[in-house]
Amino acid sequence: MKSISIYAVTRNQNIGQLQKLERQLSGREYFLKMRTWELESMRSLVRELEAHMDEVYALRFFYSFQIPRLGKEFDLLQIKDEQIVNIELKSGAVSDETIRKQLIQNRYYLSVLGRPIYSYTYISSQNRLVRLTNHDHIVEADWQQLCGLLKNKSSDYGGEIEDLFQAEMYLISRLTEPLKFLRKEYFLTSQQRDIKRQILKRIRTEHTGYYSFSGLPGTGKTLLLYDIAMKLSQKHKVCMIHCGEAGKKWEILHERLRRIDFWSDNQIKNPINLEDYSAILVDEAHLLSAEKLELLLECVKEQPVIFSSDVEDMISSKEIDRRGTHRIEHLPEIQIFRLTNRIRANAEVSSFIQNMMHLPTGKSQKGYPHIEVVYANDSIEAEKLIKNYKSHGYQYRKEPYDANDNTTGQEHAEYLAVVINDQYYYDEEGYLRSNKQGRKEMSDVRKLFHYLNQVKESLALVILENEEVYGRLLNLLQGK
């Protein structure tokens, strides 16, 4: 999306023509649903600017830009080589504290560009202009000062604004950046905030209940769960239960968050006492066995219980024991949410992984430019192919694929190379299966799925002596 002249889009014409004009000027892929109140506020802003400066028609702003996958929206952004000016538009009266919070959050998202940021809000009904100070206060603003900033002689950014803002820039890792997490130097997406609001509202009212949110890997479930835990632990003690081995990686957080007790699912034994906790939170609940889930539910009194789970619908039910997940979904009066905004991965890569686990029955997406599938006739060829990918920055680890194994020192990989050997096959329903026998807590297919979902940008699959799987994946890449 490109910057536009707000002078041009505030000339009198009907809303339908304006939407066409805006799309033409910005190059937006869709028609923006322009709101009448916002348009009137922008017209009022332009009139005020014209009263204080010349050549308002030459000003260019990015209008109604939303950071992809994060849901963070800005009304007006002027981005120059030397500075950024952000102007938010309001039609009616709004509290200074509300304005302050919005502008602080905006500044956080804009700070990744490493330029001075000047933050303003214009309330058209009051003809009031305010700004955010360097000390995070809201003060009355001077129009001449704003106009001076807007007339800055440095060059306007002329490219696509999406190229400047990537969702990955705003992700903090509880593993590699625990102090940032503890200082709350992060913001939730709009979807995460809405889920948090609904859960906390019901807990404040009823002080009990079951809650569950799920989503694909990379949708920010654990971050949301920790954020809720921190909120609930401000006044009361809560219990966070980690399923699988993931909890071992977050010891520094466990040391600092004093009102949160951290358990592993291995500590769920008969008897257990949970009476001291005001809430129970379960991370990676999809890994909780049906037996341990029942024991946990028996020991919970009236406390609220919040489950966070990965969606694994694309994995064959024969590879997963779904009894625990099914039991959670049917708890009495449970409030269920689904996170859909994939933050931590390329959407195209995510789509491919899901389709790889369960081949689509009809035509799939055609063209996966961030996916490569190559064939090796023996282990020597596979080793050479992997060596080539590693030389281009791909991360590689031999089996077993385990998303909880952090021996690489990274929580996620920009580029990931994986060998798929002859143990894998597709069943008659198009599910990826493994012919390895033996009773395990986590099947090889399930491990592979979660391991693949660590990739953020590009994925390379080396298919070793498995023509059937190779052929299926080639067809998938062609959209067949």
Side-chain angles (χ1 to χ4, degrees):
M1 189 181 92
K2 297 179 181 178
S3 60
I4 65 173
S5 164
I6 60 171
Y7 181 87
V9 296
T10 52
R11 300 308 89 197
N12 284 331
Q13 50 194 295
N14 69 54
I15 197 76
Q17 290 172 325
L18 282 174
Q19 289 181 166
K20 292 176 183 178
L21 173 65
E22 192 283 331
R23 187 180 182 189
Q24 169 209 322
L25 296 177
S26 68
R28 202 184 296 267
E29 294 181 355
Y30 56 90
F31 285 108
L32 179 66
K33 186 176 181 180
M34 301 180 78
R35 294 164 288 195
T36 302
W37 70 263
E38 189 173 75
L39 190 57
E40 289 303 320
S41 292
M42 192 155 55
R43 284 178 175 146
S44 180
L45 173 68
V46 168
R47 286 194 294 268
E48 276 299 325
L49 291 175
E50 286 185 302
H52 293 87
M53 67 178 286
D54 298 325
E55 300 182 351
V56 173
Y57 56 81
L59 297 177
R60 304 191 69 80
F61 290 87
F62 292 96
Y63 168 50
S64 193
F65 166 65
Q66 189 173 97
I67 299 177
R69 293 184 279 164
L70 290 185
K72 176 59 192 170
E73 187 175 357
F74 303 87
D75 289 342
L76 294 172
L77 285 176
Q78 185 198 60
I79 301 178
K80 288 180 173 288
D81 292 342
E82 296 179 358
Q83 66 181 34
I84 298 171
V85 177
N86 171 215
I87 304 176
E88 292 300 311
L89 302 172
K90 308 291 181 188
S91 60
V94 61
S95 72
D96 284 5
E97 181 59 21
T98 299
I99 292 172
R100 190 181 79 91
K101 287 181 178 179
Q102 182 184 31
L103 293 182
I104 288 174
Q105 187 180 79
N106 287 8
R107 188 177 61 192
Y108 164 79
Y109 283 102
L110 295 170
S111 65
V112 298
L113 300 185
R115 306 170 202 183
I117 301 163
Y118 301 95
S119 306
Y120 290 82
T121 294
Y122 176 63
I123 305 101
S124 58
S125 62
Q126 302 172 327
N127 195 26
R128 184 185 180 209
L129 182 71
V130 298
R131 66 179 177 88
L132 181 71
T133 70
N134 292 334
H135 299 290
D136 294 347
H137 299 304
I138 294 297
V139 298
E140 300 300 317
D142 180 81
W143 282 100
Q144 294 291 355
Q145 183 185 42
L146 172 60
C147 292
L149 291 170
L150 294 175
K151 290 190 291 186
N152 183 293
K153 295 299 184 182
S154 65
S155 299
D156 286 297
Y157 173 69
E160 302 279 344
I161 190 171
E162 290 84 358
D163 295 339
L164 296 178
F165 297 91
Q166 302 295 325
E168 290 79 7
M169 296 176 177
Y170 305 99
L171 294 173
I172 70 162
S173 166
R174 283 101 41 215
L175 304 182
T176 59
E177 301 173 284
L179 296 181
K180 282 189 175 183
F181 180 81
L182 290 166
R183 292 194 298 263
K184 297 204 71 176
E185 293 181 10
Y186 64 90
F187 287 99
L188 301 178
T189 67
S190 57
Q191 188 181 39
Q192 288 171 319
R193 292 196 302 271
D194 184 58
I195 292 172
K196 174 184 174 181
R197 179 187 58 79
Q198 292 189 58
I199 290 175
L200 292 179
K201 181 180 179 181
R202 183 178 165 196
I203 289 176
R204 282 194 296 267
T205 303
E206 302 180 12
H207 306 289
T208 187
Y210 296 112
Y211 311 83
S212 171
F213 50 84
S214 61
L216 290 168
T219 47
K221 299 178 298 298
T222 299
L223 179 65
L224 174 58
L225 191 70
Y226 263 86
D227 187 79
I228 293 173
M230 291 172 70
K231 183 68 175 179
L232 292 173
S233 66
Q234 288 179 352
K235 296 182 179 179
H236 304 285
K237 200 171 185 180
V238 303
C239 178
M240 172 83 80
I241 300 174
H242 288 290
C243 302
E245 300 298 315
K248 294 179 180 178
K249 300 185 291 185
W250 299 333
E251 292 178 357
I252 188 168
L253 288 180
H254 301 176
E255 293 170 1
R256 300 292 185 93
L257 298 172
R258 296 299 184 185
R259 288 184 181 270
I260 304 176
D261 282 353
F262 294 90
W263 292 24
S264 77
D265 56 336
N266 292 328
Q267 292 175 261
I268 302 177
K269 298 177 181 177
N270 195 10
I272 56 173
N273 185 0
L274 299 172
E275 292 181 0
D276 294 338
Y277 303 112
S278 63
I280 313 298
L281 299 92
V282 185
D283 190 30
E284 309 267 17
H286 56 284
L287 300 178
L288 189 63
S289 70
E291 293 74 20
K292 288 182 179 178
L293 174 61
E294 288 300 331
L295 181 56
L296 174 65
L297 294 174
E298 288 173 10
C299 297
V300 170
K301 303 303 180 184
E302 296 296 320
Q303 307 104 310
V305 183
I306 306 171
F307 299 95
S308 168
S309 307
D310 276 353
V311 168
E312 299 180 309
D313 296 345
M314 64 293 300
I315 303 177
S316 169
S317 59
K318 296 175 183 177
E319 298 283 343
I320 300 178
D321 182 354
R322 298 190 189 275
R323 289 179 297 159
T325 302
H326 186 269
R327 177 77 169 93
I328 290 172
E329 291 173 350
H330 291 84
L331 287 169
E333 298 184 36
I334 187 169
Q335 198 167 3
I336 297 176
F337 304 91
R338 179 75 173 258
L339 282 157
T340 56
N341 294 335
R342 191 76 188 274
I343 306 169
R344 203 179 54 219
N346 184 312
E348 165 217 322
V349 175
S350 175
S351 173
F352 176 82
I353 293 169
Q354 293 175 64
N355 287 331
M356 172 187 170
M357 290 291 130
H358 186 200
L359 296 172
T361 53
K363 288 187 176 182
S364 67
Q365 170 182 327
K366 186 174 182 180
Y368 291 93
H370 293 83
I371 305 293
E372 289 189 11
V373 177
V374 296
Y375 191 76
N377 289 284
D378 53 45
S379 58
I380 295 175
E381 290 182 3
E383 185 177 343
K384 289 179 179 179
L385 290 167
I386 287 295
K387 186 176 180 180
N388 176 57
Y389 282 116
K390 289 172 70 175
S391 71
H392 287 84
Y394 280 73
Q395 180 180 312
Y396 169 71
R397 184 164 68 242
K398 292 182 180 180
E399 288 190 272
Y401 309 120
D402 190 350
N404 288 327
D405 178 5
N406 199 42
T407 55
T408 60
Q410 300 182 33
E411 188 184 11
H412 299 97
E414 292 288 336
Y415 306 95
L416 186 66
V418 175
V419 172
I420 305 293
N421 62 25
D422 60 358
Q423 81 178 67
Y424 296 98
Y425 68 96
Y426 283 101
D427 65 15
E428 63 279 1
E429 295 180 330
Y431 284 103
L432 186 68
R433 303 288 309 283
S434 170
N435 56 28
K436 275 195 175 180
Q437 301 299 316
R439 183 177 177 81
K440 306 175 208 170
E441 290 186 8
M442 199 172 191
S443 73
D444 287 345
V445 170
R446 199 179 186 191
K447 284 183 180 179
L448 176 63
F449 171 70
H450 288 284
Y451 182 60
L452 291 177
N453 273 291
Q454 293 185 90
V455 67
K456 292 167 65 175
E457 191 59 37
S458 295
L459 175 66
L461 300 179
V462 178
I463 313 301
L464 173 60
E465 299 180 275
N466 193 333
E467 291 188 14
E468 187 258 341
V469 167
Y470 179 59
R472 294 288 193 103
L473 294 180
L474 285 182
N475 285 338
L476 178 59
L477 289 176
Q478 298 300 314
K480 296 180 181 180

